[in-house]
Coordinates of all heavy atoms in Angstrom, one line a residue:
G198 N 226.2 102.7 -55.2 CA 227.2 102.5 -56.2 C 227.4 101.0 -56.5 O 226.7 100.1 -55.9
Y199 N 228.3 100.7 -57.3 CA 228.5 99.3 -57.8 C 228.9 98.4 -56.6 O 228.4 97.3 -56.4 CB 229.6 99.3 -58.9 CG 229.9 97.9 -59.4 CD1 229.1 97.3 -60.3 CD2 231.1 97.3 -59.0 CE1 229.4 96.0 -60.8 CE2 231.4 96.0 -59.4 CZ 230.5 95.4 -60.4 OH 230.8 94.1 -60.8
I200 N 229.9 98.8 -55.8 CA 230.4 97.9 -54.7 C 229.3 97.8 -53.6 O 229.0 96.8 -53.2 CB 231.7 98.4 -54.2 CG1 232.8 98.3 -55.3 CG2 232.1 97.7 -52.9 CD1 234.1 98.9 -54.9
G201 N 228.8 99.0 -53.2 CA 227.8 99.0 -52.1 C 226.6 98.2 -52.5 O 226.1 97.4 -51.6
F202 N 226.1 98.3 -53.7 CA 224.9 97.5 -54.1 C 225.2 96.0 -54.1 O 224.4 95.3 -53.6 CB 224.5 98.0 -55.5 CG 223.2 97.3 -56.0 CD1 222.0 97.7 -55.4 CD2 223.3 96.4 -57.0 CE1 220.8 97.1 -55.8 CE2 222.1 95.7 -57.4 CZ 220.9 96.1 -56.8
G203 N 226.4 95.6 -54.6 CA 226.7 94.2 -54.6 C 226.8 93.7 -53.2 O 226.3 92.6 -52.9
V204 N 227.4 94.4 -52.3 CA 227.5 94.0 -50.9 C 226.1 93.9 -50.3 O 225.8 92.9 -49.6 CB 228.4 95.0 -50.0 CG1 228.3 94.7 -48.6 CG2 229.8 94.9 -50.5
A205 N 225.3 94.9 -50.5 CA 223.9 94.9 -50.0 C 223.1 93.8 -50.5 O 222.4 93.1 -49.7 CB 223.2 96.3 -50.3
V206 N 223.2 93.4 -51.7 CA 222.5 92.3 -52.3 C 222.9 91.0 -51.6 O 222.1 90.1 -51.3 CB 222.6 92.2 -53.8 CG1 222.1 90.9 -54.4 CG2 221.9 93.4 -54.5
G207 N 224.2 90.9 -51.5 CA 224.8 89.7 -50.8 C 224.3 89.5 -49.4 O 223.9 88.4 -48.9
L208 N 224.2 90.6 -48.6 CA 223.7 90.6 -47.3 C 222.2 90.2 -47.2 O 221.8 89.5 -46.4 CB 224.0 91.9 -46.6 CG 225.5 92.2 -46.3 CD1 225.6 93.7 -45.8 CD2 226.0 91.2 -45.3
R209 N 221.5 90.8 -48.2 CA 220.1 90.5 -48.3 C 219.8 89.0 -48.6 O 218.9 88.4 -48.1 CB 219.5 91.3 -49.4 CG 218.2 92.0 -49.3 CD 217.5 92.0 -47.9 NE 216.3 91.3 -48.0 CZ 215.8 90.5 -47.1 NH1 216.4 90.3 -46.0 NH2 214.7 89.9 -47.3
R210 N 220.7 88.4 -49.5 CA 220.5 87.0 -49.8 C 220.8 86.1 -48.6 O 220.3 85.0 -48.5 CB 221.5 86.6 -50.9 CG 221.1 87.1 -52.3 CD 222.0 86.6 -53.4 NE 221.6 87.2 -54.6 CZ 222.4 87.6 -55.6 NH1 223.7 87.4 -55.5 NH2 221.9 88.1 -56.7
A211 N 221.6 86.7 -47.6 CA 221.8 86.0 -46.4 C 220.7 86.2 -45.4 O 220.8 85.9 -44.2 CB 223.2 86.4 -45.8
E212 N 219.6 86.8 -45.9 CA 218.4 87.1 -45.1 C 218.6 88.1 -44.0 O 217.9 88.0 -43.0 CB 217.8 85.8 -44.6 CG 217.4 84.8 -45.8 CD 216.7 83.6 -45.3 OE1 216.3 83.5 -44.2 OE2 216.6 82.7 -46.2
L213 N 219.5 89.0 -44.2 CA 219.6 90.1 -43.2 C 218.8 91.3 -43.6 O 218.5 91.5 -44.8 CB 221.1 90.5 -43.1 CG 222.1 89.4 -42.6 CD1 223.5 89.9 -42.8 CD2 221.8 89.1 -41.2
R214 N 218.4 92.1 -42.7 CA 217.7 93.3 -43.0 C 218.8 94.3 -43.4 O 219.8 94.6 -42.7 CB 217.0 93.9 -41.7 CG 216.2 95.1 -42.0 CD 215.4 95.5 -40.8 NE 214.6 96.7 -41.1 CZ 214.1 97.4 -40.2 NH1 214.2 97.1 -38.9 NH2 213.4 98.5 -40.5
V215 N 218.6 94.9 -44.6 CA 219.6 95.8 -45.2 C 219.1 97.1 -45.5 O 218.0 97.2 -46.1 CB 220.2 95.1 -46.4 CG1 221.3 96.0 -47.1 CG2 220.8 93.7 -46.1
F216 N 219.8 98.2 -45.2 CA 219.5 99.5 -45.6 C 220.5 100.0 -46.6 O 221.7 99.6 -46.5 CB 219.6 100.5 -44.4 CG 218.6 100.2 -43.3 CD1 218.9 99.4 -42.2 CD2 217.3 100.7 -43.3 CE1 218.0 99.1 -41.2 CE2 216.4 100.5 -42.3 CZ 216.7 99.6 -41.3
G217 N 220.2 100.8 -47.6 CA 221.1 101.3 -48.5 C 221.0 102.8 -48.6 O 219.9 103.3 -48.8
V218 N 222.1 103.5 -48.5 CA 222.0 104.9 -48.6 C 222.2 105.3 -50.1 O 223.1 104.9 -50.8 CB 223.2 105.5 -47.8 CG1 223.3 107.1 -48.0 CG2 223.0 105.2 -46.3
I219 N 221.3 106.2 -50.5 CA 221.3 106.7 -51.9 C 221.2 108.2 -51.8 O 220.7 108.8 -50.8 CB 220.2 106.1 -52.8 CG1 218.8 106.2 -52.1 CG2 220.5 104.6 -53.1 CD1 217.7 105.7 -52.9
R220 N 221.6 108.9 -52.8 CA 221.6 110.3 -52.9 C 220.4 110.9 -53.5 O 220.0 112.0 -53.3 CB 222.9 110.9 -53.5 CG 224.1 110.5 -52.7 CD 225.3 111.0 -53.4 NE 226.5 110.4 -52.7 CZ 227.7 110.8 -52.9 NH1 228.0 111.8 -53.7 NH2 228.7 110.2 -52.3
Q221 N 219.7 110.1 -54.3 CA 218.5 110.5 -55.1 C 217.4 109.5 -54.9 O 217.6 108.3 -55.2 CB 218.8 110.8 -56.5 CG 219.9 111.8 -56.7 CD 220.3 111.9 -58.2 OE1 220.0 111.1 -59.0 NE2 221.1 112.9 -58.5
A222 N 216.2 110.0 -54.6 CA 215.1 109.1 -54.3 C 214.7 108.3 -55.6 O 214.1 107.2 -55.4 CB 213.9 109.9 -53.9
R223 N 215.0 108.8 -56.7 CA 214.7 108.0 -58.0 C 215.4 106.7 -58.1 O 214.9 105.8 -58.8 CB 215.0 108.9 -59.2 CG 216.5 109.1 -59.4 CD 216.7 110.1 -60.5 NE 218.1 110.6 -60.5 CZ 218.9 110.4 -61.6 NH1 218.5 109.9 -62.7 NH2 220.1 110.9 -61.5
H224 N 216.4 106.4 -57.2 CA 217.1 105.1 -57.2 C 216.4 104.1 -56.2 O 216.9 103.0 -56.1 CB 218.5 105.3 -56.9 CG 219.3 106.1 -57.9 ND1 219.4 105.7 -59.3 CD2 219.9 107.3 -57.9 CE1 220.1 106.7 -59.9 NE2 220.4 107.6 -59.1
S225 N 215.4 104.6 -55.6 CA 214.8 103.7 -54.5 C 214.2 102.4 -55.1 O 214.3 101.4 -54.5 CB 213.6 104.5 -53.9 OG 214.1 105.6 -53.1
T226 N 213.6 102.5 -56.3 CA 213.0 101.3 -56.9 C 214.0 100.2 -57.1 O 213.7 99.0 -56.8 CB 212.4 101.7 -58.3 OG1 211.5 102.7 -58.1 CG2 211.8 100.5 -58.9
R227 N 215.2 100.5 -57.5 CA 216.3 99.4 -57.7 C 216.6 98.7 -56.4 O 216.7 97.5 -56.3 CB 217.5 100.0 -58.3 CG 218.6 99.0 -58.5 CD 219.8 99.6 -59.3 NE 220.7 98.6 -59.6 CZ 222.0 98.8 -59.5 NH1 222.5 100.0 -59.2 NH2 222.9 97.8 -59.8
L228 N 216.6 99.5 -55.3 CA 216.9 98.9 -54.0 C 215.7 98.1 -53.5 O 215.8 96.9 -53.0 CB 217.2 100.0 -52.9 CG 218.5 100.8 -53.2 CD1 218.7 101.7 -52.0 CD2 219.7 99.8 -53.3
L229 N 214.5 98.6 -53.6 CA 213.3 98.0 -53.2 C 213.1 96.6 -53.9 O 212.6 95.7 -53.3 CB 212.1 98.9 -53.3 CG 212.1 100.1 -52.4 CD1 211.0 101.1 -52.8 CD2 211.9 99.6 -50.9
Q230 N 213.5 96.6 -55.2 CA 213.3 95.3 -55.9 C 214.2 94.2 -55.3 O 213.9 93.0 -55.5 CB 213.8 95.5 -57.4 CG 212.8 96.3 -58.2 CD 213.3 96.7 -59.5 OE1 214.5 96.7 -59.8 NE2 212.4 97.0 -60.5
Q231 N 215.2 94.6 -54.6 CA 216.1 93.6 -54.0 C 215.8 93.5 -52.4 O 216.6 92.9 -51.7 CB 217.6 94.0 -54.1 CG 218.0 94.0 -55.6 CD 218.0 92.7 -56.2 OE1 218.3 91.7 -55.6 NE2 217.6 92.6 -57.5
E232 N 214.7 94.1 -52.0 CA 214.3 94.1 -50.6 C 215.3 94.8 -49.7 O 215.5 94.5 -48.6 CB 214.0 92.7 -50.1 CG 212.8 92.1 -50.9 CD 212.5 90.7 -50.4 OE1 213.3 90.1 -49.6 OE2 211.4 90.2 -50.7
I233 N 216.0 95.9 -50.3 CA 216.9 96.7 -49.5 C 216.1 98.0 -49.2 O 215.5 98.6 -50.1 CB 218.2 97.0 -50.4 CG1 218.9 95.7 -50.7 CG2 219.1 98.0 -49.7 CD1 220.0 95.8 -51.8
E234 N 216.2 98.4 -48.0 CA 215.4 99.6 -47.5 C 216.2 100.8 -47.8 O 217.3 101.0 -47.3 CB 215.1 99.5 -46.1 CG 214.2 98.3 -45.7 CD 214.0 98.1 -44.3 OE1 213.6 99.1 -43.6 OE2 214.1 97.0 -43.8
P235 N 215.7 101.7 -48.7 CA 216.5 102.9 -49.1 C 216.5 104.0 -48.0 O 215.5 104.2 -47.3 CB 215.8 103.4 -50.3 CG 214.4 102.8 -50.3 CD 214.5 101.6 -49.5
I236 N 217.6 104.6 -47.8 CA 217.7 105.8 -47.0 C 218.2 106.9 -47.9 O 219.4 106.8 -48.4 CB 218.7 105.6 -45.8 CG1 218.3 104.5 -44.9 CG2 218.9 106.9 -45.1 CD1 219.3 104.1 -43.9
V237 N 217.4 107.9 -48.2 CA 217.8 109.0 -49.1 C 218.5 110.1 -48.3 O 218.0 110.7 -47.4 CB 216.6 109.6 -49.8 CG1 217.0 110.7 -50.8 CG2 215.8 108.5 -50.6
V238 N 219.8 110.3 -48.6 CA 220.6 111.4 -48.0 C 221.1 112.2 -49.2 O 222.1 111.8 -49.8 CB 221.7 110.8 -47.2 CG1 222.6 111.9 -46.6 CG2 221.2 109.9 -46.1
E239 N 220.4 113.3 -49.5 CA 220.8 114.1 -50.6 C 222.1 114.9 -50.4 O 222.8 115.2 -51.4 CB 219.6 115.1 -50.9 CG 218.4 114.4 -51.4 CD 217.2 115.3 -51.7 OE1 217.4 116.5 -51.5 OE2 216.2 114.8 -52.0
S240 N 222.4 115.1 -49.2 CA 223.7 115.8 -48.9 C 224.3 115.2 -47.7 O 223.7 115.0 -46.7 CB 223.4 117.3 -48.7 OG 224.6 117.9 -48.2
F241 N 225.6 115.0 -47.7 CA 226.3 114.5 -46.6 C 226.9 115.7 -45.7 O 227.7 115.4 -44.8 CB 227.4 113.6 -47.0 CG 226.9 112.2 -47.5 CD1 226.9 111.9 -48.8 CD2 226.4 111.3 -46.6 CE1 226.4 110.7 -49.3 CE2 226.0 110.1 -47.0 CZ 226.0 109.8 -48.4
E242 N 226.5 116.9 -46.0 CA 227.0 118.0 -45.2 C 226.5 117.9 -43.8 O 227.2 118.2 -42.9 CB 226.6 119.3 -45.8 CG 227.2 119.6 -47.2 CD 228.7 119.6 -47.1 OE1 229.3 120.2 -46.2 OE2 229.4 119.0 -48.0
N243 N 225.3 117.4 -43.6 CA 224.7 117.2 -42.3 C 224.4 115.7 -42.2 O 223.4 115.3 -42.8 CB 223.5 118.1 -42.1 CG 222.9 118.0 -40.7 OD1 223.4 117.1 -39.9 ND2 221.9 118.8 -40.4
V244 N 225.1 115.0 -41.4 CA 224.9 113.5 -41.3 C 223.9 113.1 -40.2 O 223.8 112.0 -39.9 CB 226.2 112.7 -41.2 CG1 227.1 112.9 -42.4 CG2 226.9 113.1 -39.9
S245 N 223.2 114.1 -39.6 CA 222.4 113.8 -38.5 C 221.2 112.9 -38.9 O 220.9 112.0 -38.1 CB 221.8 115.1 -37.8 OG 221.0 115.8 -38.8
S246 N 220.7 113.0 -40.1 CA 219.6 112.1 -40.5 C 220.1 110.7 -40.7 O 219.5 109.7 -40.4 CB 218.9 112.7 -41.8 OG 219.8 112.7 -42.9
L247 N 221.3 110.6 -41.2 CA 222.0 109.3 -41.4 C 222.3 108.7 -40.0 O 222.0 107.5 -39.8 CB 223.2 109.4 -42.2 CG 224.0 108.1 -42.4 CD1 223.2 107.1 -43.1 CD2 225.3 108.4 -43.2
A248 N 222.7 109.5 -39.1 CA 223.0 109.0 -37.7 C 221.8 108.4 -37.1 O 221.9 107.4 -36.4 CB 223.6 110.1 -36.9
E249 N 220.6 109.0 -37.3 CA 219.4 108.5 -36.8 C 219.1 107.1 -37.3 O 218.7 106.2 -36.5 CB 218.2 109.4 -37.1 CG 218.2 110.7 -36.4 CD 217.1 111.6 -36.9 OE1 216.1 111.2 -37.4 OE2 217.3 112.9 -36.7
Q250 N 219.4 106.8 -38.6 CA 219.2 105.5 -39.1 C 220.3 104.5 -38.7 O 220.0 103.3 -38.5 CB 219.3 105.6 -40.7 CG 218.1 106.4 -41.3 CD 216.8 105.8 -41.0 OE1 216.6 104.6 -41.0 NE2 215.8 106.6 -40.8
L251 N 221.5 105.0 -38.4 CA 222.5 104.1 -37.9 C 222.2 103.5 -36.6 O 222.7 102.4 -36.3 CB 223.9 104.9 -37.8 CG 224.5 105.4 -39.1 CD1 225.7 106.1 -38.8 CD2 224.7 104.2 -40.1
Q252 N 221.3 104.1 -35.8 CA 220.9 103.5 -34.5 C 220.3 102.2 -34.7 O 220.2 101.4 -33.7 CB 220.0 104.5 -33.8 CG 220.6 105.8 -33.4 CD 219.6 106.7 -32.8 OE1 218.4 106.4 -32.6 NE2 220.0 108.0 -32.5
H253 N 219.7 101.9 -35.8 CA 219.0 100.6 -36.1 C 219.9 99.5 -36.7 O 219.4 98.5 -37.0 CB 217.8 100.8 -37.0 CG 216.9 101.9 -36.4 ND1 216.1 101.8 -35.4 CD2 216.7 103.2 -36.9 CE1 215.5 102.9 -35.1 NE2 215.8 103.8 -36.0
C254 N 221.2 99.8 -36.9 CA 222.1 98.9 -37.6 C 223.1 98.2 -36.7 O 223.6 98.8 -35.7 CB 222.9 99.7 -38.6 SG 221.9 100.5 -39.9
S255 N 223.3 97.0 -36.9 CA 224.4 96.2 -36.2 C 225.7 96.3 -36.9 O 226.7 96.2 -36.3 CB 223.9 94.8 -36.0 OG 222.7 94.7 -35.3
V256 N 225.7 96.4 -38.3 CA 226.9 96.4 -39.1 C 226.7 97.6 -40.1 O 225.7 97.8 -40.6 CB 227.0 95.1 -39.9 CG1 228.2 95.1 -40.8 CG2 227.1 93.9 -38.9
I257 N 227.8 98.3 -40.2 CA 227.8 99.4 -41.2 C 228.9 99.2 -42.2 O 230.1 98.9 -41.8 CB 228.1 100.7 -40.5 CG1 227.0 101.0 -39.4 CG2 228.2 101.9 -41.5 CD1 227.3 102.1 -38.5
V258 N 228.6 99.2 -43.5 CA 229.6 99.0 -44.5 C 229.6 100.4 -45.3 O 228.7 100.8 -45.8 CB 229.2 97.9 -45.5 CG1 230.2 97.8 -46.7 CG2 229.0 96.6 -44.8
D259 N 230.8 101.0 -45.2 CA 231.0 102.3 -45.9 C 231.7 102.0 -47.2 O 232.9 101.8 -47.3 CB 231.8 103.2 -45.0 CG 232.2 104.6 -45.7 OD1 231.7 104.8 -46.8 OD2 232.9 105.4 -45.0
A260 N 230.9 102.1 -48.3 CA 231.5 101.8 -49.6 C 231.5 103.1 -50.5 O 231.5 103.1 -51.7 CB 230.7 100.8 -50.4
V261 N 231.4 104.3 -49.8 CA 231.4 105.6 -50.5 C 232.8 105.8 -50.9 O 233.8 105.5 -50.1 CB 230.9 106.7 -49.5 CG1 231.0 108.0 -50.2 CG2 229.5 106.4 -49.1
D262 N 233.0 106.4 -52.1 CA 234.3 106.7 -52.5 C 235.0 107.6 -51.4 O 234.5 108.5 -51.0 CB 234.2 107.6 -53.8 CG 235.6 107.9 -54.4 OD1 236.5 107.2 -54.2 OD2 235.6 108.9 -55.2
F263 N 236.2 107.2 -51.0 CA 236.8 107.8 -49.9 C 237.1 109.3 -50.1 O 237.7 109.7 -51.1 CB 238.2 107.1 -49.5 CG 238.9 107.8 -48.4 CD1 238.4 107.6 -47.1 CD2 239.9 108.7 -48.6 CE1 239.1 108.2 -46.0 CE2 240.5 109.3 -47.5 CZ 240.1 109.1 -46.2
K264 N 236.6 110.1 -49.2 CA 236.8 111.5 -49.2 C 237.1 111.8 -47.7 O 236.2 111.5 -46.9 CB 235.6 112.3 -49.7 CG 235.4 112.1 -51.2 CD 234.2 112.9 -51.7 CE 234.0 112.8 -53.1 NZ 233.8 111.4 -53.7
A265 N 238.2 112.3 -47.4 CA 238.6 112.5 -46.0 C 237.5 113.1 -45.1 O 237.2 112.6 -44.1 CB 239.9 113.2 -45.9
D266 N 236.9 114.2 -45.6 CA 236.0 114.9 -44.8 C 234.7 114.1 -44.6 O 234.1 114.0 -43.6 CB 235.7 116.3 -45.3 CG 235.2 116.3 -46.7 OD1 235.5 115.4 -47.5 OD2 234.4 117.3 -47.0
L267 N 234.2 113.5 -45.7 CA 232.9 112.7 -45.7 C 233.1 111.5 -44.9 O 232.3 111.2 -44.0 CB 232.5 112.4 -47.1 CG 231.3 111.5 -47.2 CD1 230.1 112.1 -46.5 CD2 231.0 111.2 -48.7
S268 N 234.2 110.7 -45.1 CA 234.4 109.5 -44.4 C 234.5 109.7 -42.9 O 234.0 109.0 -42.1 CB 235.6 108.7 -45.0 OG 235.3 108.3 -46.3
D269 N 235.2 110.8 -42.6 CA 235.4 111.2 -41.2 C 234.0 111.5 -40.5 O 233.7 111.1 -39.4 CB 236.3 112.4 -41.0 CG 236.6 112.7 -39.6 OD1 237.1 111.8 -38.9 OD2 236.4 113.8 -39.1
K270 N 233.1 112.2 -41.2 CA 231.8 112.5 -40.7 C 231.0 111.2 -40.5 O 230.3 111.1 -39.4 CB 231.0 113.4 -41.7 CG 231.5 114.8 -41.7 CD 230.7 115.6 -42.7 CE 231.3 117.0 -42.9 NZ 230.5 117.8 -43.9
I271 N 231.0 110.3 -41.4 CA 230.3 109.1 -41.3 C 230.8 108.3 -40.1 O 230.1 107.7 -39.3 CB 230.3 108.3 -42.6 CG1 229.5 109.0 -43.7 CG2 229.7 106.9 -42.4 CD1 229.7 108.4 -45.1
L272 N 232.2 108.2 -40.0 CA 232.8 107.4 -38.9 C 232.4 108.1 -37.6 O 232.0 107.3 -36.6 CB 234.3 107.4 -39.1 CG 235.1 106.8 -37.9 CD1 234.7 105.3 -37.8 CD2 236.6 106.9 -38.2
R273 N 232.5 109.4 -37.4 CA 232.1 110.0 -36.2 C 230.7 109.8 -35.8 O 230.3 109.5 -34.6 CB 232.4 111.5 -36.2 CG 233.9 111.8 -35.9 CD 234.2 113.3 -35.8 NE 234.4 113.8 -37.1 CZ 233.8 114.9 -37.6 NH1 233.1 115.7 -36.8 NH2 234.0 115.4 -38.8
A274 N 229.8 109.8 -36.8 CA 228.4 109.5 -36.5 C 228.2 108.1 -36.1 O 227.4 107.8 -35.1 CB 227.5 109.8 -37.8
A275 N 228.9 107.2 -36.7 CA 228.7 105.8 -36.3 C 229.3 105.5 -34.9 O 228.7 104.8 -34.1 CB 229.5 104.9 -37.3
L276 N 230.4 106.2 -34.6 CA 231.0 106.0 -33.3 C 230.1 106.6 -32.2 O 229.9 106.0 -31.1 CB 232.4 106.7 -33.2 CG 233.5 106.0 -33.9 CD1 234.7 106.9 -34.0 CD2 233.8 104.6 -33.3
T277 N 229.5 107.7 -32.4 CA 228.6 108.4 -31.5 C 227.4 107.4 -31.2 O 227.0 107.2 -30.1 CB 228.1 109.7 -32.0 OG1 229.3 110.6 -32.2 CG2 227.1 110.4 -31.0
V278 N 226.8 106.9 -32.3 CA 225.6 106.0 -32.1 C 226.0 104.8 -31.4 O 225.3 104.3 -30.5 CB 225.1 105.7 -33.5 CG1 224.1 104.5 -33.4 CG2 224.4 106.9 -34.1
G279 N 227.2 104.2 -31.7 CA 227.7 103.0 -31.0 C 227.9 103.2 -29.6 O 227.5 102.4 -28.7
Q280 N 228.5 104.4 -29.2 CA 228.7 104.7 -27.8 C 227.4 104.8 -27.1 O 227.2 104.4 -25.9 CB 229.5 105.9 -27.7 CG 231.0 105.7 -28.1 CD 231.8 107.0 -28.2 OE1 231.2 108.1 -28.2 NE2 233.1 106.8 -28.2
E281 N 226.4 105.5 -27.7 CA 225.1 105.7 -27.1 C 224.4 104.3 -26.9 O 223.8 104.1 -25.8 CB 224.2 106.6 -27.9 CG 224.6 108.0 -27.9 CD 223.9 108.9 -28.9 OE1 223.0 108.4 -29.6 OE2 224.2 110.1 -29.1
R282 N 224.5 103.4 -27.8 CA 223.9 102.1 -27.7 C 224.5 101.3 -26.6 O 223.8 100.6 -25.9 CB 224.0 101.3 -29.0 CG 223.1 101.8 -30.1 CD 223.2 101.1 -31.4 NE 223.0 99.7 -31.3 CZ 223.0 98.9 -32.3 NH1 223.2 99.4 -33.5 NH2 222.8 97.6 -32.2
T283 N 225.8 101.3 -26.5 CA 226.5 100.6 -25.4 C 226.2 101.1 -24.0 O 226.1 100.4 -23.1 CB 228.0 100.4 -25.6 OG1 228.6 101.7 -25.7 CG2 228.3 99.7 -26.9
Q284 N 226.0 102.4 -23.9 CA 225.7 103.0 -22.6 C 224.3 102.7 -22.2 O 224.0 102.6 -21.0 CB 225.9 104.5 -22.7 CG 227.3 104.9 -22.8 CD 227.5 106.4 -23.0 OE1 226.6 107.2 -23.2 NE2 228.8 106.9 -23.0
K285 N 223.4 102.5 -23.2 CA 222.0 102.2 -22.8 C 221.8 100.7 -22.6 O 220.7 100.3 -22.2 CB 221.1 102.7 -24.0 CG 221.0 104.2 -24.1 CD 220.1 104.7 -25.2 CE 220.1 106.2 -25.3 NZ 219.4 106.6 -26.5
G286 N 222.8 99.9 -23.0 CA 222.7 98.5 -22.8 C 221.9 97.8 -23.9 O 221.2 97.1 -24.2

């Protein structure tokens, strides 16, 4: 989206490795042009594929339009990954 893309571009300009979640693979080209690595998540009903990608992230920016059930799923996935990372050292 508009906000997430702007944040991602700014982080990339700061020379950070950036992943961008998109819902349709056809938007990958726009991200790749900015050296943002696309993660295609067609449905947020099952966030396990997203959780796998979160394991590689130090910072997570949730710029998805707030929806209580979706935002809660993303937050729980991020917390689970964070707890696993801290337990493993």
